[in-house]
Amino acid sequence: MKVATWNVNSIRSRQQIVADWLASSSVDVLCLQETKVVDKDFPREPFEQLGYHLYTWGQKAYNGVAIFSKTPLEAVVAGFTPIVGEERAGAFDEQKRAICGVLEGVQIVNVYVPNGSAVGSEKYDYKLRWFELFWEYLQQLLARSPGELCICGDFNIALEDRDIYAPKKENHIMASPAERQALDKVLELGLRDAFRKFTDDGGHFSWWDYRQGGFPRNRGWRIDHHYLTASLYERASSCTIDIEPRKLPKPSDHTPVIVEF
DNA sequence: ATGGCGACAGGATGTCGA
């Protein structure tokens, strides 16, 4: 099974690029982030024509996640509330950042982690609190799921300096100690980075800033990840970043990452 | 340190992303 993750920065702006990529890449599952559109306006036709079943959870202008799957998913759940309860989820589901479903005994979780703006800001605090809730959500899923989890998405965190084109000062957003600790705590539930099973060196990125010629100068970050439970990690046969879509005119600032297991 | 680029909503320019 091939599972891809891709922050498309508006599915309506990226419709053709995503459809062309799907037609040639033949992934079984594509997890999208930053779709930036409410469900009723989601451009479904080009993807349904390619044989995909679509599960969307969007909002106006910001955020939004979706899963495309060649085979129907079971037990699709949008947001945190159905898993952790209304009281615990509070207002977090106002931002559409999580959707999950089960395929061939694998619980697939698609997330768009908050950006956090700047260390110390209100949004940064929200990001850290969001991670606390995400941890509880995953703990619940692990208790009730088929036992195998594939969590993928835009994590907006680079865990290690080799995931960044140049090491950052302490307290840079996406690389601060508190963010890394929050992600580490999630991974301690028993998850491993699929990409690092196959590749040790730096210089491999999934996001490049639109500004300052980030992509042509390869000034990127690896912030889009697949995290797998132990036996799924053992089964994984590849994890690759496809930088081709980032080279096209009017690209997303992220490019797809694909795991096969 | 700042802003740069791009999408969005709305109908100019501010907000947000990372």
Side-chain angles (χ1 to χ4, degrees):
Chain A
M1 187 195 307
K2 284 187 188 175
V3 179
T5 181
W6 194 357
N7 178 322
V8 292
N9 185 19
S10 167
I11 188 61
R12 287 178 293 183
S13 294
R14 231 60 65 197
Q15 180 175 325
Q16 193 62 50
I17 285 178
V18 174
D20 289 347
W21 186 79
L22 274 177
S24 63
S25 68
S26 73
V27 296
D28 299 284
V29 176
L30 175 60
C31 294
L32 300 171
Q33 304 89 35
E34 279 205 272
T35 52
K36 293 187 173 180
V37 65
V38 293
D39 294 343
K40 72 175 176 60
D41 294 330
F42 196 102
R44 303 180 67 94
E45 292 76 11
F47 309 110
E48 288 175 338
Q49 277 178 14
L50 289 165
Y52 288 90
H53 300 262
L54 275 55
Y55 307 89
T56 64
W57 199 48
Q59 67 181 86
K60 191 164 78 170
Y62 303 116
N63 310 314
V65 285
I67 304 179
F68 299 172
S69 178
K70 281 199 169 169
T71 308
L73 298 179
E74 304 157 44
V76 173
V77 176
F80 295 125
T81 306
I83 305 295
V84 302
E86 269 184 38
E87 191 177 340
R88 181 60 185 93
F92 278 99
D93 276 342
E94 289 174 5
Q95 299 186 16
K96 312 308 186 203
R97 296 183 176 275
I99 187 169
C100 68
V102 176
L103 180 61
E104 294 175 25
V106 178
Q107 174 76 251
I108 292 166
V109 180
N110 175 21
V111 289
Y112 175 47
V113 174
N115 164 277
S117 186
V119 173
S121 67
E122 266 184 40
K123 286 176 182 152
Y124 181 76
D125 183 57
Y126 181 90
K127 184 177 191 174
L128 297 178
R129 288 186 288 110
W130 186 94
F131 258 100
E132 292 291 322
L133 182 62
F134 185 47
W135 184 87
E136 291 180 35
Y137 165 84
L138 290 178
Q139 198 183 38
Q140 289 290 325
L141 282 183
L142 280 162
R144 48 169 101 170
S145 81
E148 303 287 11
L149 259 71
C150 170
I151 304 170
C152 60
D154 175 1
F155 283 78
N156 272 320
I157 294 177
L159 264 185
E160 302 174 296
D161 287 344
R162 62 178 165 164
D163 297 321
I164 311 173
Y165 71 90
K168 291 294 162 187
K169 295 188 191 104
E170 282 251 317
N171 285 331
H172 191 289
I173 193 66
M174 302 192 292
S176 71
E179 288 168 273
R180 287 174 167 176
Q181 282 163 21
L183 180 51
D184 273 331
K185 185 185 170 192
V186 162
L187 301 187
E188 282 164 13
L189 288 166
L191 296 154
R192 298 187 69 182
D193 182 348
F195 185 79
R196 288 301 180 200
K197 177 175 178 180
F198 306 100
T199 307
D200 283 328
D201 56 340
H204 301 280
F205 309 124
S206 62
W207 171 80
W208 299 260
D209 202 309
Y210 285 125
R211 299 161 288 188
Q212 305 270 58
F215 183 68
R217 300 157 87 177
N218 200 27
R219 295 185 170 193
W221 294 57
R222 195 175 70 88
I223 53 175
D224 300 271
H225 307 295
H226 295 83
Y227 293 115
L228 310 177
T229 43
S231 60
L232 203 53
Y233 181 87
E234 294 307 315
R235 268 170 59 190
S237 55
S238 71
C239 184
T240 56
I241 300 171
D242 182 0
I243 66 166
E244 293 305 314
R246 189 63 177 80
K247 301 174 179 173
L248 298 172
K250 305 288 281 180
S252 169
D253 44 355
H254 296 250
T255 209
V257 186
I258 309 98
V259 70
E260 184 164 17
F261 49 73

